[in-house]
């Protein structure tokens, strides 16, 4: 493992979780992009941005904060046009400044271009060094900016040609949406790590608008229909002459992110062609079959453990109880007590229902354990509320390796399952028993019959070369 600290790297951070949205052919583009981002808010809460075009000029607003706080009607009125893209960004460490908020935009010899990215370029450091040695001046510390420099420097004359050129130099995970003055171009990496769905919205004049989004829940909100996915290695261009779809490269081994189904996506979305609610419930059912326990109630950690807990309860016959209540309105600003209160952060978010827990043997279901600190606090909380036994069940295998493809996971050092046995983790979180879903059952839950998913955070086997600075962290076959 690398000794290189993230703060030493030229980039803000290596693992970003984001949501992207793009729309072509609607007179109220900015309002629809806003609604799309509103539905994708769970994919990133730190900053958000929208760029639109009226056919001649690109307009852009990006700010720190939540979508609904940033995009007031006045702000949306500054974003005219019938095509646009949007982004929500999440970041927990490093430089969280506005300069990294997306869409990023430039004016170059291919015209004005704005870009929004979900994923992580695994060779961004190397590419940035080469570009800087050649004189490029970077405005941000985000890996995404690399693609704009590659486009600007390309000898290809057209934007689509320059993009093809740029995409072939980038490695890693990317679902990218680009806005030019008169067109939208989207592209997905050859492994299809991150999702990118295509939707259609019928307009009264019979001309449909075309939409691209990280998740289909964004289509539902605006009344659009899900028609399929941008394929791995595919570029889709939509402009005045219509829509074209092409493979800009040979697709690699497909490696859809399994963690999208475990945790990240909303349960009302269809991701990689599969309903998330369905796969999550199956994870819970299989967890009950693999790791049964005698208990009185099944309690989810809201919201991440809800669907799996429903599955666990249905399979085991143990009653499902909502015995932890989440405050959904925990904002960015709240009054902190002047004297430290233990576990304040978790209490702010979750409160146990003593009435449902007193004297009970509880199966507590959550989606994952990362550092273990949250689980430990929640287990204590359950006991303080009177639970007699707490049996923790996790709806995925132990997280033993960081993600380099766009999910925010800490370094291996901080991952509790990378450095401890399950028994040691059980002891740390103070549960009476602890069990994880097996990799085989996770595969089964997402219907992965032909090895189309990436499980690198559970196996440490990465489907591509992963580099951090000079240090090659891992290269193995497909996961
Ligand atoms: P920890 O205290 O680090 O073990 O936190 C585990 C909790 O964080 C679980 O309840 C998960 O739902 C949640 N979680 C896991 N992975 C992520 C992620 N990449 N981003 C945000 N939250 C996460």
């Amino acid at each position: 493992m690398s000794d290189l600290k993230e703060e030493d790297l030229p980039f803000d951070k290596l693992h970003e979780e984001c949501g992207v949205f793009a729309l072509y052919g609607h007179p109220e583009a900015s309002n629809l992009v806003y609604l799309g981002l509103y539905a994708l808010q769970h994919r990133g809460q730190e900053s958000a941005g929208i760029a639109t075009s009226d056919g001649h000029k690109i307009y852009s607003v990006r700010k720190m904060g939540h979508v609904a706080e940033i995009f007031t009607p006045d702000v949306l009125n500054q974003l005219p046009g019938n095509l646009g893209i949007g982004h929500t960004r999440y970041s927990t460490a490093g430089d969280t400044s506005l300069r990294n908020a997306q869409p990023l935009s430039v004016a170059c010899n291919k015209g004005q271009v704005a870009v929004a990215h979900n994923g992580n370029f695994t060779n961004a450091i190397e590419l940035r060094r080469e570009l800087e040695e050649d004189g490029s001046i970077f405005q941000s510390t985000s890996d995404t900016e690399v693609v704009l420099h590659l486009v600007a420097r390309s000898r290809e004359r057209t934007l689509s040609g320059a993009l093809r050129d740029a995409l072939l130099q980038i490695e890693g995970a990317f679902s990218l949406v680009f806005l030019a003055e008169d067109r939208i171009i989207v592209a997905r990496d050859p492994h299809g790590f991150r999702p990118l769905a295509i939707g259609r919205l019928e307009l009264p004049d019979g001309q449909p608008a075309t939409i691209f989004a990280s998740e289909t829940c964004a289509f539902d909100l605006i009344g659009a229909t899900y028609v399929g996915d941008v394929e791995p290695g595919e570029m889709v261009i939509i402009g005045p002459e219509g829509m074209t779809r092409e493979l800009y490269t040979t697709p690699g081994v497909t490696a859809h992110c399994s963690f999208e189904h475990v945790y990240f996506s909303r349960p009302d979305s269809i991701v990689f062609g599969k309903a998330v609610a369905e796969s999550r419930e199956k994870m819970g059912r299989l967890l009950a079959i693999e790791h049964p326990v005698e208990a009185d109630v099944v309690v989810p950690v809201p919201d991440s453990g809800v669907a799996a807990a429903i599955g666990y309860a249905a399979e085991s016959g143990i009653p499902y109880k909502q015995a932890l209540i989440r405050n959904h309105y925990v904002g960015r600003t709240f009054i902190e007590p002047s004297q430290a209160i233990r576990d304040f952060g978790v209490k702010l978010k979750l409160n146990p229902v003593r009435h449902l827990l007193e004297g009970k043997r509880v199966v507590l279901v959550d989606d994952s354990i990362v550092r273990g600190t949250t689980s430990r606090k929640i287990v204590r909380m359950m006991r303080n509320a009177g639970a007699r036994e707490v049996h923790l069940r996790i709806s995925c295998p132990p997280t033993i390796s960081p993600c380099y493809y766009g999910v925010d996971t800490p370094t291996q050092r901080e991952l509790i399952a990378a450095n401890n046995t399950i028994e040691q983790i059980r002891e740390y979180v103070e549960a009476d028993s602890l069990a994880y879903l097996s990799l085989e059952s996770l595969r089964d839950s997402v219907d992965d019959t032909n090895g189309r998913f990436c499980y690198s955070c559970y196996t440490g086997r990465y489907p591509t070369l992963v580099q951090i600075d000079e240090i090659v962290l891992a290269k193995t076959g497909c996961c």
Side-chain angles (χ1 to χ4, degrees):
M1 241 322 104
S2 159
D3 282 324
L4 210 71
K5 294 193 195 80
E6 286 198 3
E7 50 270 33
D8 299 330
L9 298 175
F11 295 112
D12 169 11
K13 67 193 297 288
L14 295 164
H15 331 298
E16 268 182 23
E17 294 164 355
C18 300
V20 294
F21 188 90
L23 167 129
Y24 182 90
H26 194 287
E28 285 186 60
S30 60
N31 286 332
L32 268 77
V33 177
Y34 161 74
L35 291 169
L37 292 185
Y38 191 79
L40 298 174
Q41 182 74 83
H42 62 288
R43 297 184 71 89
Q45 300 89 41
E46 191 189 75
S47 68
I50 296 178
T52 59
S53 173
D54 59 7
H56 309 288
K57 187 172 180 271
I58 288 183
Y59 303 81
S60 172
V61 172
R62 52 193 187 118
K63 285 191 179 161
M64 306 302 285
H66 288 190
V67 176
E69 292 161 14
I70 301 169
F71 294 102
T72 59
D74 278 355
V75 173
L76 288 169
N77 280 336
Q78 297 162 26
L79 295 162
N82 67 358
L83 59 159
I85 62 172
H87 190 258
T88 57
R89 177 173 184 267
Y90 167 93
S91 166
T92 50
D95 183 353
T96 57
S97 67
L98 182 58
R99 68 191 159 148
N100 289 326
Q102 298 189 21
L104 297 174
S105 35
V106 285
C108 65
N109 57 357
K110 281 99 193 165
Q112 282 185 284
V113 193
V115 63
H117 171 206
N118 174 209
N120 179 46
F121 302 152
T122 50
N123 63 340
I125 295 170
E126 190 183 300
L127 287 172
R128 179 169 168 148
R129 281 207 182 125
E130 283 166 20
L131 286 160
E132 282 180 331
E133 274 165 22
D134 268 0
S136 289
I137 297 167
F138 278 73
Q139 308 286 326
S140 76
T141 54
S142 150
D143 63 335
T144 308
E145 195 184 342
V146 165
V147 77
L148 291 177
H149 287 269
L150 293 173
V151 167
R153 282 173 167 262
S154 170
R155 289 179 188 277
E156 291 285 337
R157 295 238 182 104
T158 61
L159 175 62
S160 54
L163 264 177
R164 238 173 256 124
D165 216 11
L167 296 174
L168 290 173
Q169 296 175 65
I170 294 166
E171 289 165 16
F174 51 89
S175 284
L176 287 162
V177 298
F178 295 90
L179 172 72
E181 283 121 356
D182 66 345
R183 64 197 54 224
I184 296 280
I185 304 180
V186 306
R188 207 163 161 215
D189 69 73
H191 299 279
F193 282 107
R194 308 252 69 88
L196 190 56
I198 311 174
R200 240 172 104 97
L201 178 62
E202 299 299 336
L203 299 186
D205 67 2
Q207 282 294 319
T210 303
I211 303 143
F212 303 91
S214 295
E215 288 181 44
T216 60
C217 62
F219 300 157
D220 298 340
L221 182 59
I222 59 173
T225 317
Y226 168 55
V227 294
D229 292 322
V230 176
E231 297 299 324
E234 189 181 34
M235 180 159 103
V236 184
I237 305 171
I238 178 154
E241 63 287 341
M243 183 160 100
T244 57
R245 302 181 67 161
E246 63 169 88
L247 286 177
Y248 66 87
T249 186
T250 321
V253 174
T254 305
H256 299 322
C257 171
S258 53
F259 196 63
E260 288 278 352
H261 273 270
V262 169
Y263 169 78
F264 204 49
S265 297
R266 254 172 55 163
D268 51 340
S269 287
I270 297 166
V271 171
F272 310 127
K274 166 122 186 120
V276 176
E278 202 185 335
S279 53
R280 251 174 229 174
E281 194 171 322
K282 188 153 181 194
M283 287 169 210
R285 281 185 177 275
L286 296 179
L287 192 56
I289 293 169
E290 284 184 342
H291 303 291
V293 61
E294 259 190 48
D296 306 306
V297 284
V298 174
V299 174
V301 175
D303 293 324
S304 51
V306 170
I310 289 171
Y312 196 103
E315 190 64 43
S316 63
I318 304 169
Y320 172 91
K321 297 283 175 192
Q322 231 184 313
L324 268 174
I325 303 300
R326 178 167 168 186
N327 185 335
H328 286 269
Y329 308 101
V330 178
R332 297 168 71 79
T333 48
F334 50 83
I335 303 156
E336 287 204 44
S338 49
Q339 275 194 324
I341 296 176
R342 235 155 61 96
D343 301 336
F344 181 70
V346 170
K347 279 186 184 160
L348 194 68
K349 227 174 165 183
L350 295 172
N351 196 28
V353 185
R354 177 171 285 276
H355 169 72
L356 298 175
L357 294 168
E358 205 132 49
K360 296 287 193 304
R361 294 167 303 171
V362 177
V363 182
L364 180 66
V365 181
D366 201 0
D367 70 290
S368 54
I369 300 179
V370 182
R371 293 180 177 85
T373 47
T374 310
S375 303
R376 182 183 162 109
K377 284 175 184 168
I378 295 172
V379 171
R380 280 189 186 168
M381 192 181 251
M382 306 296 273
R383 289 203 203 278
N384 290 339
R388 183 148 59 92
E389 290 172 18
V390 182
H391 301 276
L392 185 57
R393 294 293 178 271
I394 303 296
S395 62
C396 68
T399 307
I400 58 160
S401 245
C403 177
Y404 297 102
Y405 306 119
V407 171
D408 178 51
T409 37
T411 59
Q412 198 156 24
R413 246 197 321 265
E414 294 165 89
L415 288 172
I416 191 166
N419 307 295
N420 294 277
T421 62
I422 291 178
E423 175 52 21
Q424 286 168 328
I425 304 170
R426 184 203 66 74
E427 250 175 57
Y428 177 77
V429 301
E430 299 172 358
D432 292 284
S433 75
L434 165 67
Y436 290 83
L437 188 68
S438 69
L439 187 60
E440 196 191 351
S441 290
L442 175 57
R443 276 207 174 99
D444 197 359
S445 305
V446 296
D447 284 345
D448 187 13
T449 47
N450 46 4
R452 293 176 307 117
F453 278 76
C454 175
Y455 305 97
S456 55
C457 52
Y458 310 120
T459 62
R461 293 198 302 275
Y462 297 91
T464 65
L465 182 71
V466 176
Q467 280 186 315
I468 293 193
D469 208 60
E470 269 78 292
I471 302 154
V472 178
L473 285 173
K475 179 177 167 52
T476 59
C478 168
C479 52

